[in-house]
Amino acid sequence: VIENSATLDGILIFAKAIVIESGFNGQCQLFATDSIMVKQNCNFRYPSCIGVLQFASQKGSQARISLGDQTTFNGILFTYESSKSDFQTLIDIGKNVQITGQVFAQGMIRFKEMSQVNGNITANKFIYETNYTLFENYLMNTVVDERGLSHYYLTSSLFSVSSGKKKIMQWLGTN
């Protein structure tokens, strides 16, 4: 559990599951094998990363990333499965979430209302959910603006689009 009073700047965290408390503000890279839950009103500065990596099929569980309502995220969100499972990985994006960067899911991405992605999205399946119904492979009340991503945005070498664009994103001090 990472409390909202934590000061994270250039920190990498690896765990089975991670929970970020409401009101967090920082720049970090989070990696888990089960789930990462970001509660509401959080702010992740560039170059942040949230990734869930599922290396073995986990019976009865779904690896997932959840971004709470009114969260701002700048960087990369991704899920990875070493082998396709019945419970595909899920990136769950809450209401009024603003993402600037890249979203990549080897499984599904579920949007709630009024979210915006400045950058690009890759997924096997989209799900749009309201209080009353669920739509598969529809995007409604969601903005995806590829041109909203800065020309100075640097991506990860995890993505094929990064070949030839490799530069130093941030120097980490040894002090």
Side-chain angles (χ1 to χ4, degrees):
V1 175
I2 299 173
E3 295 180 358
N4 62 6
S5 60
T7 303
L8 301 182
D9 187 15
I11 302 297
L12 280 75
I13 297 175
F14 300 87
K16 180 177 181 180
I18 301 170
V19 176
I20 310 293
E21 292 294 331
S22 295
F24 171 80
N25 183 17
Q27 182 258 313
C28 55
Q29 298 188 11
L30 310 172
F31 302 94
T33 55
D34 181 61
S35 63
I36 298 176
M37 179 179 6
V38 176
K39 295 190 178 176
Q40 64 189 19
N41 296 315
C42 292
N43 179 39
F44 288 84
R45 296 185 312 273
Y46 178 80
S48 289
C49 177
I50 295 179
V52 170
L53 304 119
Q54 190 173 38
F55 294 109
S57 179
Q58 299 169 346
K59 293 187 179 195
S61 69
Q62 181 180 44
R64 69 173 46 206
I65 296 171
S66 297
L67 289 185
D69 298 348
Q70 283 89 31
T71 290
T72 302
F73 184 84
N74 294 283
I76 296 172
L77 290 172
F78 76 95
T79 61
Y80 168 80
E81 290 180 283
S82 61
S83 60
K84 195 164 184 139
S85 67
D86 293 335
F87 296 99
Q88 294 183 42
T89 59
L90 172 68
I91 297 177
D92 200 1
I93 299 173
K95 291 181 181 179
N96 297 312
V97 170
Q98 173 91 26
I99 298 170
T100 301
Q102 296 172 289
V103 182
F104 176 85
Q106 276 193 306
M108 303 176 284
I109 300 176
R110 177 171 50 200
F111 286 95
K112 302 258 172 64
E113 296 185 52
M114 305 309 292
S115 293
Q116 180 168 347
V117 176
N118 296 315
N120 57 43
I121 302 173
T122 305
N124 285 343
K125 186 186 300 184
F126 291 105
I127 297 172
Y128 172 72
E129 183 178 350
T130 68
N131 292 336
Y132 306 106
T133 189
L134 185 126
F135 297 95
E136 189 173 305
N137 291 327
Y138 279 83
L139 289 177
M140 296 190 298
N141 297 327
T142 300
V143 175
V144 179
D145 182 6
E146 182 180 19
R147 290 175 283 173
L149 193 59
S150 168
H151 294 290
Y152 299 106
Y153 177 87
L154 293 176
T155 185
S156 169
S157 58
L158 294 171
F159 302 112
S160 60
V161 297
S162 68
S163 61
K165 292 185 176 183
K166 295 180 182 174
K167 298 195 186 269
I168 295 170
M169 184 177 298
Q170 179 179 6
W171 286 103
L172 298 177
T174 56
N175 299 342

